[in-house]
Amino acid sequence: MDLTTISVLLVDDDPMVRNGLRMVLRGDPGLVVVGEAGDGRQAVGLARELKPDVVLMDLQMPVLDGVGATRELHTYPDAPAVLVLTTFHLDTYVLDALSAGARGYLLKDVPPTEIARAVRLVAAGESVFSASITQRLVQQVADPAAAPLADAARRALATLTDREREVAEAVAAGRSNATIAAQMYMSEATVKTHVSRILTKTGSENRVQVALLVYQAQSARG
């Protein structure tokens, strides 16, 4: 396996779904499936043993569900990036999975090429959402009950420079580092530096949390 290969662990309680995902990922020479699990508990064990770069995680499974497995994996050193791939798009599933540490959330109706692309992006430290999921996140944080979180998000983002704020908003829009670099006439290295500073200043663990902060702050402005 060369250094550019991304290893993937497939987690779904339906063998047919796992077979389909294996075939999709096999079409990308830079991706390799190193293992499969039928429930969250098995996924955690295999992830610790195989140390994949990315775990493609279903949510509703026996023994331990995808949120619980994601939360447990997130506590480990050198934790793999978790990309949720599910049929469930309810707000509670989305927010629970992201709060547990998932780096991306896709619905199973996305094109196969989008799955492979998403695996590559989360492996590179970026965040990925289905378009409908982004819309639900915006609706969720616009709820009046989210006002205290919105105020806290606005204070966190106030610590950023104008340029860092622009990068944070681009991250929230789901843009990759390469896209941000091209649109803002910066090198990718500079974008990565900005993202690193944003994470530190806002106390965020990853790009997903930065995106949520931006959505919350926007809702605070009404």
Side-chain angles (χ1 to χ4, degrees):
M1 185 184 305
D2 61 59
L3 295 178
T4 62
T5 300
I6 297 171
S7 56
V8 184
L9 174 64
L10 302 180
V11 185
D12 197 294
D13 61 346
D14 188 335
M16 292 184 64
V17 171
R18 296 201 306 271
N19 183 60
L21 290 173
R22 191 187 322 113
M23 294 177 64
V24 166
L25 299 183
R26 187 176 293 166
D28 188 317
L31 306 178
V32 59
V33 176
V34 295
E36 300 180 21
D39 63 67
R41 178 52 57 201
Q42 184 183 19
V44 171
L46 283 177
R48 296 186 69 177
E49 173 188 348
L50 301 173
K51 301 187 184 307
D53 298 308
V54 177
V55 176
L56 201 52
M57 183 80 75
D58 190 21
L59 286 185
Q60 285 212 332
M61 297 179 292
V63 186
L64 179 66
D65 65 16
V67 171
T70 298
R71 184 175 292 112
E72 188 168 337
L73 287 173
H74 192 57
T75 65
Y76 296 148
D78 301 320
V82 174
L83 173 60
V84 170
L85 183 65
T86 182
T87 57
F88 296 96
H89 54 76
L90 299 179
D91 295 340
T92 181
Y93 284 109
V94 177
L95 294 176
D96 284 352
L98 298 182
S99 297
R103 198 172 287 170
Y105 197 114
L106 295 181
L107 299 180
K108 288 181 177 177
D109 60 359
V110 298
T113 53
E114 180 64 18
I115 296 175
R117 173 180 172 274
V119 168
R120 286 186 170 279
L121 287 174
V122 298
E126 302 189 22
S127 52
V128 182
F129 303 102
S130 291
S132 60
I133 295 302
T134 300
Q135 293 171 0
R136 301 187 80 84
L137 287 173
V138 173
Q139 293 169 358
Q140 179 74 14
V141 298
D143 190 302
L149 290 176
D151 289 340
R154 188 163 49 180
R155 289 193 297 271
L157 293 179
T159 66
L160 305 180
T161 66
D162 290 343
R163 196 56 159 171
E164 288 166 353
R165 180 63 180 260
E166 290 176 359
V167 172
E169 291 176 350
V171 168
R175 298 184 186 125
S176 67
N177 286 347
T179 300
I180 296 172
Q183 292 178 340
M184 297 188 180
Y185 304 102
M186 297 185 287
S187 67
E188 283 193 57
T190 300
V191 174
K192 290 180 181 178
T193 297
H194 281 310
V195 172
S196 178
R197 289 174 180 166
I198 292 166
L199 294 174
T200 299
K201 288 183 176 182
T202 62
S204 302
E205 293 185 12
N206 52 48
R207 296 167 72 101
V208 172
Q209 292 185 3
V210 170
L212 291 176
L213 281 176
V214 172
Y215 293 142
Q216 288 162 349
Q218 289 172 343
S219 72
R221 292 199 299 265

